[in-house]
Amino acid sequence: ASVFIANAAVMAWVMTIAHADHSFSVEEDYYAKALAWDATARQREASAALGWAAQGAIESAGPGGERRLVVHLSDASLQPLGGASVIVRAFHRAYPSGVQTLALAEGDPGEYACPMPEARTGVWCVTVDAVRGEDRFGADILVGAGTTTESGN
């Protein structure tokens, strides 16, 4: 009986440690995503066919100001792509359990931004989902505070 109690105590301790570690995460809805893999592949092909591109940066609003995430979208001729509805999922590479879903507002044509108060220094993984009319574009980009990184899809 004491072995069973000791085993249960160790397992409870391990579970507590695992849930307290923010650098660990389990992919949300992984089974549903696996079942939808064919649709995801078709969407990636459709995004590539559009020829659109996304660039991102995390900018500071000034001394003491909060940071903001800025995504620049361009079309196949590298012109700013305005008039899109843009939603992103972002997480710091070192803390994948802290996923933020953000709706970006368009400022200048092709520039979409929103406040990002929880923006730690370092590299962020950002999944961009942009819709304009019947066209839908998806891209995965890496964004660093004060740096710009490009990605097609």
Side-chain angles (χ1 to χ4, degrees), residues 61-152:
E66 66 181 18
R67 295 178 184 220
R68 68 184 197 133
L69 172 64
V70 179
V71 173
H72 295 273
L73 295 178
S74 57
D75 62 18
S77 61
L78 301 179
Q79 297 302 308
L81 183 74
S85 172
V86 180
I87 295 178
V88 300
R89 290 183 69 232
F91 63 89
H92 192 278
R93 193 178 243 180
Y95 302 97
S97 63
V99 177
Q100 300 178 42
T101 300
L102 307 164
L104 280 60
E106 185 173 12
D108 293 332
E111 180 182 286
Y112 302 86
C114 74
M116 199 170 181
E118 306 266 336
R120 291 182 166 94
T121 302
V123 178
W124 286 75
C125 301
V126 179
T127 299
V128 179
D129 185 26
V131 178
R132 186 175 78 167
E134 297 292 317
D135 296 325
R136 178 179 217 112
F137 172 73
D140 296 320
I141 59 176
L142 296 177
V143 178
T147 62
T148 303
T149 305
E150 291 186 35
S151 175

Side-chain angles (χ1 to χ4, degrees), residues 36-54:
W37 175 248
D38 291 335
T40 301
R42 283 192 299 276
Q43 180 56 50
R44 286 184 188 268
E45 289 172 3
S47 288
L50 288 172
W52 297 359

